């Protein structure tokens, strides 16, 4: 090895003695950034807090993959700003208007509009501790 | 006919802050320069309050509007990433996009045909939806016209954010109302010279005889007149110019009088500069180090600068040593230092430069350590792992008291949403 050179990346095909039978079949490892579309310009990461959406499988500390390009979807989870507060709420379409629902019924359904707007839709979820 | 669009973000830094905190909408917002020195971006509301560009923060802080103003230290990690996102959105509209500045992008829309104004509105809508950043779009057959159109789109509400000056008749209507100072590249001196020639407005300049333009302003003036008349002379520039050098210079949070603080700062700047080298796969053959006092506050004046050849390497430990060597030669006790910097020049791609015959450190070990250093810092955030000579407390470091979270580049600073 030349001075200053780092070992070559080995992907399962670059053998030195016997040719690897896999060399024509090497594929890239799975890149979660690709799977989750993290490179899209409208995708952001948002940390969930609180347990109100635990029944939907969203727990305190989870990282949501938020897509600002995604259209609102009934039953989807929205990252929204309500009176300046950033909330995570289920979206519903009722009587001709989108509403943010509170899962534990602690708050009345909030129609979008004055003081309430969707910031992004949750597209996926990452939990680093299981 | 070529068609260019200039997409320019409105009050970009303020808009980045608002993107992650919509409650700032409608409030006077300002963003401060490094060290929270002076205003570098203002929301419309702040402009209406009379906050001037460049106004010192300490004055505003003591002024009558301090309570209503929301101030932020500059958060360049965030602004840079938001700029990248804007460019990515624009690439869906044209693969030819030139990032002219952090908040201005030229698009080549030639050959698309159709309704360019509608296209401009669609572009604005996409950028706003995905980055939350409001923009204005100027369209024209040359970059100079697109830039003028953008200015109109910003200044005149009747355009609703998109101004198209493709049509010569549309230009004929607006040119007489535009002072030449609004033209891209017509700075103070050129403007004054034009004024002496009796040229005040854009229509007068566009009508200037080509020969006269050339005589008065060289080929650049001639090109400008051509561009204003709708003949494109400035192509889209999609390749960033080759880096000529890497500079890391900062002013300190307080006057530095202690060699320990100075050496920490210089070591830190050398570390930063070397990070940039590695990111671009470059090595440097030369280094410049400078330190100076503040020439405006009455402190005794000292400006020291030294340039020298260095070992071409990407190893920050070696370059820290090189930088401290220069700094030590400049250091004069008893001065109150205000700013210092490390510049790397004579850059070349790594491997293109003959390796040093007597390297300070084993190059293989050095490359491994730097790879590990970069990997740790990429994963856990900048400066997680750093040479101890760069200091622990770093009292000298640039003040950024009001910086918002780096929402898009640090996993521990991302937005939080409360489940309801
Ligand atoms: Mg701008």
């Amino acid at each position: 090895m030349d001075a200053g050179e780092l070992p070559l990346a080995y992907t399962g095909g670059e053998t030195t003695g016997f040719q690897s039978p896999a060399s024509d079949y090497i594929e890239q490892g799975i890149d979660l950034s690709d799977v989750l579309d993290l490179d899209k310009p409208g995708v952001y990461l948002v940390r969930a807090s609180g347990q109100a959406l635990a029944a939907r499988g969203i727990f305190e500390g989870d990282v949501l993959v938020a897509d600002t390009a995604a259209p609102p979807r009934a039953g989807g989870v929205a990252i929204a700003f309500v009176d300046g507060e950033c909330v995570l709420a289920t979206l519903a379409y009722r009587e001709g208007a989108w509403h943010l629902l509170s899962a534990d019924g602690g708050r009345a359904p909030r129609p979008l509009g004055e003081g309430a707007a969707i910031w992004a839709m949750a597209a996926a979820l990452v939990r680093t501790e299981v | 006919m070529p068609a260019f669009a200039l997409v320019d973000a409105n009050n970009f830094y303020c808009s980045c802050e608002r993107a992650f905190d919509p409650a700032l909408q409608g409030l006077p917002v300002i963003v401060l320069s490094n060290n929270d020195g002076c205003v570098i971006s203002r929301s419309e509301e702040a402009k209406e309050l009379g906050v001037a560009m460049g106004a010192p923060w300490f004055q505003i802080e003591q002024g009558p509007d301090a309570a209503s103003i929301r101030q932020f230290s500059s958060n360049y990690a965030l602004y840079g990433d938001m700029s990248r996102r804007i460019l990515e959105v624009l690439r869906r509209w044209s693969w030819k996009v030139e990032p002219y500045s952090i908040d201005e992008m030229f698009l080549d829309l030639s050959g698309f045909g159709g309704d360019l104004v509608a296209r401009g509105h669609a572009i604005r809508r996409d950028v706003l939806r995905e980055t939350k950043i409001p923009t204005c779009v100027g369209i024209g057959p040359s970059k100079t016209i697109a830039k003028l159109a953008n200015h109109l789109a910003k200044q005149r509400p009747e355009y609703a954010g998109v101004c198209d000056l493709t049509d010569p008749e549309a230009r004929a209507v607006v040119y007489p109302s535009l002072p030449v100072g609004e033209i891209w590249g017509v700075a103070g001196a050129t403007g004054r010279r034009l004024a002496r020639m009796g040229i005040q407005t854009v229509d007068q300049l566009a009508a200037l005889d080509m020969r006269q333009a050339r005589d008065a302003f060289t080929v650049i003036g001639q090109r400008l007149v051509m561009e204003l008349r709708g003949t494109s002379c400035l192509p889209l520039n999609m390749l960033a110019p080759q880096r000529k050098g890497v500079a890391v210079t900062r002013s300190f949070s307080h006057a530095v009088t202690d060699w320990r603080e100075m050496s920490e700062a210089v070591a830190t700047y050398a570390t930063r500069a070397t990070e940039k080298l590695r990111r671009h796969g470059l090595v440097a053959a030369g280094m410049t180090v400078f330190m100076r006092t503040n020439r405006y506050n009455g402190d005794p004046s000292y400006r020291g600068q030294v340039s020298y050849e260095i070992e071409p390497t990407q190893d920050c430990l070696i370059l820290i040593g090189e930088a401290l060597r220069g700094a030590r030669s400049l250091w004069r006790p008893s001065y109150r230092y205000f700013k210092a910097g490390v510049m790397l020049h004579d850059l070349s791609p790594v491997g293109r430069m003959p390796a040093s015959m007597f390297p300070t450190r084993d190059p293989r070990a050095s490359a491994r350590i730097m790879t590990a250093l970069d990997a740790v810092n990429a994963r856990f955030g900048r400066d997680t792992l750093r040479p101890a000579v760069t200091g622990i407390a770093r009292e000298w470091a640039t003040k950024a008291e009001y910086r918002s979270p780096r929402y898009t580049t640090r996993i521990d600073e991302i937005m939080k949403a409360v489940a309801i």
Side-chain angles (χ1 to χ4, degrees), chain A residues 41 43-44 47 49 86 88 103 119, chain B residues 19 85 130 132 415 417-419:
Chain A
V43 168
Y44 301 82
R47 178 94 50 192
S49 79
C86 186
L88 205 56
W119 195 86
Chain B
R85 289 169 186 269
E130 298 191 36
K132 317 295 176 185
M415 258 169 83
V418 185

Side-chain angles (χ1 to χ4, degrees), chain B residues 8-12 103-104 154:
Chain B
D8 185 341
N10 303 349
N11 315 323
F12 181 55
D103 73 332
E104 295 167 286
K154 272 227 162 78

